[in-house]
Structure formats: structure tokens, C-alpha cells
Amino acid sequence: LYVYADELDFDGTMEIATLYADEGNKVRLINRDVTLETDKFEYDLTIDLGYYDVGGVLTDAQNRLESIEGEYSPATKDANFYNNVHLTGRLQNDTLNIYTDSLFYNTVSHIAAVSSRSEISNVNATMFTMGGVYDTDRDTAYFDTRSLIVAKNGNTLWGDTIRYDHRSGIGEAFGNMILTDTTRHISL
């Protein structure tokens, strides 16, 4: 674990380090293939947790996450992001975009869990949900709240629970579901 900053304040009693970057620079935390950059970063040594509330970007080998507030634990590789969260894939030809206000992410599994109004899009479809997980390695989603998938051709799939495979383009809905085929003008 490496942390780079222009200034460091340390409270020995509370064991909290506050790191600052000069204008034009960023505080950088590097943990193997994970890099977190922000203007001001606080690190609580007692619980091994760093956090920011002035905007930051976390990148790993798979994804880039940007948010106003965030937390990262180097020990568990877990990160929580809040307020104007945007996840994008970093791999060549990756079209994944997740927009939400609350996202949990693990930098080892590359699984993103959303728990607020979210829009997830890729080259095949746009998905709207209030809760679920997206496995960015496998390009699969599981939504456990009433959700909607809108395919690029206009077809829609509503369901109480939805499983979606981006690579195959196959979606499965369970519970109260509605499938609309705009080409054939039918609903099921």
C-alpha cells in the first residue's frame, strides 16, 4: 500500500491521517492494481478505512469509478461510493456505464452492487433498477427489485426479479413480468 500527498496531518490519539494535495495534484493511494485519486483523503488506521468527500476516482484493471464521496478498505478490497457515482469499464471496446447514487464494489471480484435508483447501459440495452448486482467480469446482472430492461431495438422486459447476460443478450424475468416486442407489436 502506497499513499502519495503534498501534506499530511496525523492525529495520534484518534489514529487518523488527513492527506492533502496541492492545486493541480491529487492524493494517490495505490494498492496493487487499484489506484484511488482525490484532493483530500482521510485514513482511519484503527479500522483500516480511507474515505473522501470532495470527489474522487478509483481505478482497477477492470473498471473506473467516480463519485463525490467514497470509502475504500485495502484489507478487504471493498469500496463504497455515494453521490453521482459513475462506473465505466476500462477494457477495450467495453461499453458498460452505471449511473447511481449508491454503489458497493469489490476490486477483486469486480462485482458492483447498487442500492438506489440506477441506470446501467451497454451496447445492447439500458437497464433501470433500484437494487441488484452487476458482475463486470462476466457481464451478467441480477436485479432483485422491480426492474426494466430496454433493448436497443425497443423491446422491453419488466420483472420483479431479472437475470441478464450481456454477452448473449438473454434476459430472464421472474414474478410479475411483462415482455414487449415492438417489432411484432405483442406483449406477454
Side-chain angles (χ1 to χ4, degrees), residues 31-111:
N31 186 14
R32 299 189 187 266
D33 68 340
V34 175
T35 301
L36 190 147
E37 295 182 316
T38 185
D39 293 331
K40 178 185 171 194
F41 189 68
E42 295 193 46
Y43 196 84
D44 187 330
L45 280 74
T46 60
I47 59 173
D48 194 23
L49 181 72
Y51 46 93
Y52 61 88
D53 60 5
V54 295
V57 175
L58 182 141
T59 56
D60 62 18
Q62 182 80 9
N63 298 298
R64 178 183 189 276
L65 297 104
E66 184 174 355
S67 67
I68 302 298
E69 299 175 50
E71 303 171 340
Y72 176 67
S73 171
T76 64
K77 311 297 189 263
D78 290 333
N80 291 301
F81 301 94
Y82 308 100
N83 297 328
N84 296 327
V85 181
H86 182 202
L87 181 150
T88 56
R90 295 186 64 210
L91 302 180
Q92 187 175 8
N93 300 323
D94 195 338
T95 61
L96 175 64
N97 282 287
I98 298 176
Y99 299 95
T100 188
D101 274 330
S102 182
L103 184 138
F104 169 83
Y105 181 76
N106 184 278
T107 60
V108 174
S109 68
H110 304 128
I111 292 176

Side-chain angles (χ1 to χ4, degrees), residues 137-159:
D137 282 341
R138 293 182 177 88
D139 270 338
T140 57
Y142 177 80
F143 304 126
D144 54 6
T145 60
R146 183 128 182 102
S147 302
L148 167 67
I149 297 176
V150 180
K152 294 299 178 193
N153 64 5
N155 293 348
T156 61
L157 178 63
W158 281 96

